[in-house]
Each structure stands twice: as C-alpha cells, then as structure tokens.
C-alpha cells in the first residue's frame, strides 16, 4: 500500500517545497519494483520470493529524504515547475541505493528491526517456515539473506541509472558521483566498526571524521550532486561549497542520530532500544565520555549484546552525567552554523539559480534542526 510520504526529513513538517505527489510517485516506483521482484522470484524459487516480500514490508514508511533532495536541488536551480522523468528515475535510484545500504547495515549492526518491522535478520522463522534453527544458525541464515538482497538492491540502483534516457556524458557524471559516494560511505562504515573493536579509545576527531564519511557522502552530497548534474549546474555552482555544506549537514545529521539513539524516544526509532550501546558503537557521545569519572561504570555496559532496557537507561544516565551529551549538542550547533555559512556562500553570486539553491539549503537546515527522531 502506498503511504503518503512527507517532503521533509523524518517527517518534521511539510514545507520543503516539494509536492507530495512527486514523492508519492517515487514511492510507487519503489513498491512497483519490489512487487515485481516478488512475482519474478516466484518463478525461480519460493525462498527468494519470501526474501523480497520481507524486504518490501520493511521498506515501508521511509520518508524519502534523499529522493526529495535530488528533486529539490533540480527544481531550485532550474526554477522548473515539474520534475522530468529522468530526474524522477534518478531520485528512485537514490532511494534504492539507500535501501541497499540499510539492508547491509543491518548485518553490520546485527539489527533485527527496521522502521519498526522485523527485517531479514529478524524474520528467519518466516524464511524457513518455522523455528527450525538455533540462534547461531538462524543468525547466519538471516545475515546471508540480507547480504544477498542488499547486493541485488545495489545492482538495481545502478541498472536504474543505466536505463535513464539521458546524454551519455551526463550518465557518466552520475555514475562517477555514485562511485565516489559509495567509496566514502564504505570507508566511514568500516571505520565505525573498527573504532568499536579497538583496544584503545579513539579521539573525538577520529569519530567525527568517521561520522562525516559514513553519512555526508550519500545522505546529502550525492542527492545534491545528482540533482545539480541533471540541472546542468556543474559549471556554475561552486562544488567546494556544496561539499562543505554536505559535510557539515551530514555530520549534524549523524550527531542527531547518535543523540536519538541514546536519548530519543526508543519506541519511535524503529530499532531495538539502546542498540548503539548494546553494539558498543564508539560515537561522539562515547568518545567524550572517556576519561570522565563515570567511564569505568559506563565501559562495563558497552558492547553487551544482552543489555537490558534497565541497563540501557543506566548507560544513558551515565552518558548524560559525564557531560558528553551537552558537548555533542554544542558540536551539533557548530555544524549547523558551518552548514548555514556554506549555504549562504552558494547564493553570494546573486545569480538566480544559485540564490534559489541557497534558499532551499537553508530551509533544509531549518527542517533538520527540528528533527525529533
């Protein structure tokens, strides 16, 4: 069933100047693709069809932030009233790339929930038709399912781009942008895992670099680049300013997620409560808590896969008492200020396209600042 998406990040308002119908069309295309995969898989193997059904279910409810940003970048710069087919397909490919990342991310983080629904890792009984396996073997099967489906989603994102009716030179620029975003995001994701298993305590600068790589490249920079490439704006808009904006806004986005993961409403997150603490993620919150009087007690709770909600709440209170929450909130405000300065610089030329683009970027920051989950 098509659910009406909100044109703003994480549903915080509806003033991102993008008609809901355009995002509904992206959602329709995603659902059509997934339904088609279920039907096609049924002729190959019923097990594969089950994997696609679970994927379609867990994909419901996304706010389509990245597709919205692709289309908004195009509309803002060109002043067009409608999104052309080629840009609609770019936006759809961006969401498929996001779904691929989420599916693989569930494996990396060993998460069994996604958007409040059981994902592939959490649906082993459905996959095999009953409680046939113990936890260890079931987890292995769920991981294999998620890796393989994530691979197919990643392939489809590229195939979608390849099939767009656009000049060959434009297609190559789009693919180059996707390649860069993938490389930086993978580097950030690998660093995230590496920091959590190191025996020493990484410095805050390392954590912030990891967070920026993990989020900025494909959450902010890639959608903006794709929209601007489609708009023919590459020779006009300063790419360095777009990169600076994306780095700061993406880092702010990740810092917000770190705060929500510990201090947000755990039942609105769509994931298991205190999953970041349970996984032992070395976020900015944890880096700043190192060396404080609460560290010894807090460290004993990090990375406990059996962490209870009560112990998760205890870790939350210790993090707050350490002062790291306040410090992260201060860093978050600094990143928003940095992003806003870059956005205003984009419009400093006074040219209409850049001016409209800068105004859109500032509206985006206002919406991000109002996120609550």
């Amino acid at each position: 069933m098509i659910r009406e998406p909100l044109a703003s990040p994480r549903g915080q308002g509806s003033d991102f100047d993008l008609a809901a119908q355009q995002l509904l069309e992206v959602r329709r295309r995603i659902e059509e693709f997934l339904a088609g995969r279920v039907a096609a898989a049924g002729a190959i193997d019923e097990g594969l069809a089950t994997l696609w059904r679970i994927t379609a279910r867990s994909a419901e409810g996304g706010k389509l932030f990245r597709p919205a940003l692709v289309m908004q970048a195009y509309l803002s710069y060109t002043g067009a009233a409608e999104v052309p087919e080629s840009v609609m397909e770019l936006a759809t490919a961006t969401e498929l790339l996001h779904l691929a990342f989420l599916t693989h991310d569930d494996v990396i983080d060993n998460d069994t929930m996604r958007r409040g629904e059981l994902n592939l890792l959490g649906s082993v009984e459905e996959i095999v038709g009953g409680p046939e396996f113990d936890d260890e073997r079931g987890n292995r099967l769920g991981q294999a399912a998620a890796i393989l489906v994530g691979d197919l989603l990643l392939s489809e994102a590229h195939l979608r781009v390849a099939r767009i009716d656009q000049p060959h030179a434009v297609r190559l620029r789009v693919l180059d942008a996707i390649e860069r975003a993938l490389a930086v995001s993978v580097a950030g994701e690998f660093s995230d895992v590496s920091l959590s298993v190191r025996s020493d305590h990484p410095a805050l600068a390392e954590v912030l670099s990891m967070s920026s790589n993990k989020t900025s490249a494909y959450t902010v920079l890639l959608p903006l680049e794709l929209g601007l490439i489609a708009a023919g704006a590459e020779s006009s808009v300063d790419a360095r300013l777009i990169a600076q904006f994306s780095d700061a806004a993406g880092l702010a986005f990740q810092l917000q997620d770190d705060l929500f993961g510990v201090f947000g409403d755990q039942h609105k997150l769509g994931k298991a409560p205190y999953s970041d603490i349970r996984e032992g993620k070395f976020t900015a919150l944890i880096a700043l808590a190192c060396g404080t009087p609460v560290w010894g007690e807090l460290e004993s709770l990090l990375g406990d896969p059996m962490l209870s909600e009560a112990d998760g709440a205890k870790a939350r209170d210790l993090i707050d008492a350490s002062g790291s929450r306040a410090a992260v909130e201060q860093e978050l405000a600094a990143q928003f200020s940095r992003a806003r300065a870059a956005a205003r610089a984009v419009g400093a030329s006074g040219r209409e396209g850049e001016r409209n683009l800068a105004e859109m970027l500032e509206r985006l920051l206002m919406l991000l600042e109002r996120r609550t989950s």
Side-chain angles (χ1 to χ4, degrees):
M1 179 179 67
I2 295 179
R3 298 180 181 178
E4 183 164 342
L6 295 171
S8 54
R10 301 292 176 104
Q12 302 302 309
S14 57
D15 56 345
F16 195 37
D17 292 354
L18 190 64
Q21 192 62 38
Q22 293 168 320
L23 283 178
L24 278 173
E25 175 59 19
V26 172
R27 177 147 359 252
R28 187 196 67 76
R29 292 179 187 212
I30 295 293
E31 294 187 353
E32 181 181 58
F33 160 72
L34 292 170
R37 286 298 175 270
V38 172
I44 300 172
D45 178 78
E46 184 55 33
L48 179 59
T50 299
L51 299 187
W52 279 119
R53 278 193 290 269
I54 295 168
T55 301
R57 184 181 66 217
S58 61
E60 292 180 357
K63 298 301 186 292
L64 304 180
F65 170 62
R66 294 159 188 83
L69 196 50
V70 172
M71 293 189 284
Q72 191 61 48
Y74 174 86
L75 292 173
S76 296
Y77 185 82
T78 62
E82 298 291 336
V83 176
E85 172 66 17
S86 59
V87 177
M88 189 72 73
E89 279 293 276
L90 275 180
T92 303
T94 305
E95 184 65 10
L96 286 167
L97 181 65
H98 178 51
L99 291 176
F101 273 35
L102 292 181
T103 304
H104 283 158
D105 197 51
D106 286 341
V107 177
I108 294 169
D109 294 340
N110 201 32
D111 277 335
T112 58
M113 302 286 292
R114 174 62 63 183
R115 294 167 177 163
E117 298 283 346
L118 289 173
N119 59 17
L120 287 163
L121 269 71
S123 302
V124 174
E125 287 193 19
E126 182 177 348
I127 292 172
V128 300
E132 183 174 335
F133 299 123
D134 56 35
D135 288 346
E136 182 178 350
R137 290 189 296 166
N139 188 59
R140 180 181 175 187
L141 180 64
Q143 288 181 337
I147 290 170
L148 294 170
V149 170
D151 288 347
L152 291 173
L153 288 167
L154 189 60
S155 173
E156 177 60 25
H158 284 83
L159 289 172
R160 203 98 184 185
V161 170
R163 292 171 178 145
I164 295 174
D165 183 11
Q166 59 186 341
H168 182 61
V170 174
R171 181 178 294 105
L172 290 180
R173 289 197 291 274
V174 167
L175 290 172
D176 285 345
I178 292 174
E179 180 184 21
R180 289 193 300 270
L182 284 169
V184 175
S185 298
V186 166
E189 191 67 51
F190 184 71
S191 293
D192 190 17
V193 178
S194 298
L195 294 182
S196 68
V197 300
R198 276 170 48 174
S199 58
D200 63 340
H201 300 147
L204 177 62
E206 289 182 88
V207 176
L208 293 179
S209 177
M210 172 274 294
S211 297
S212 176
N213 287 342
K214 180 180 173 182
T215 304
S216 300
Y218 101 97
T219 294
V220 185
L221 181 58
L222 178 62
L224 286 176
E225 284 185 327
L226 296 186
L228 293 175
I229 288 170
E234 292 173 287
S235 61
S236 178
V237 178
D238 191 331
R240 292 171 301 177
L241 292 175
I242 296 299
Q244 289 170 16
F245 172 87
S246 301
D247 181 64
L251 181 52
F253 196 99
Q254 184 59 53
L255 291 174
Q256 285 179 319
D257 276 355
D258 293 345
L259 288 164
F260 296 149
V262 176
F263 298 103
D265 185 333
Q266 298 296 303
H267 299 288
K268 286 184 178 180
L269 296 175
K271 298 174 71 175
Y274 305 114
S275 59
D276 284 359
I277 297 171
R278 188 174 293 109
E279 294 154 22
K281 284 195 172 183
F282 216 92
T283 65
L285 285 168
I286 302 305
L288 287 163
C290 283
T292 66
V294 307
W295 177 245
E297 191 173 5
L298 175 60
E299 187 177 26
S300 69
L301 299 171
L302 296 175
D304 179 2
M306 304 305 293
L307 186 80
S308 66
E309 285 203 39
D311 281 341
K314 181 179 180 181
R316 175 200 64 203
D317 293 342
L318 290 170
I319 291 170
D320 198 9
S322 75
S324 68
R325 178 184 186 178
V328 169
E329 289 173 345
Q330 185 176 8
E331 179 64 32
L332 176 61
Q335 294 302 329
F336 273 126
S337 295
R338 180 173 160 237
R340 188 163 284 107
R344 290 173 180 168
V346 168
S349 70
R351 291 187 293 268
E352 184 177 11
E354 286 96 316
R355 188 175 66 249
N356 291 341
L357 179 62
E359 290 173 359
M360 182 276 288
L361 295 177
E362 291 205 58
R363 290 195 300 274
L364 172 62
L365 292 175
M366 291 174 62
L367 291 168
L368 288 177
E369 287 177 316
R370 295 206 297 267
R371 287 178 72 207
T372 59
S373 65

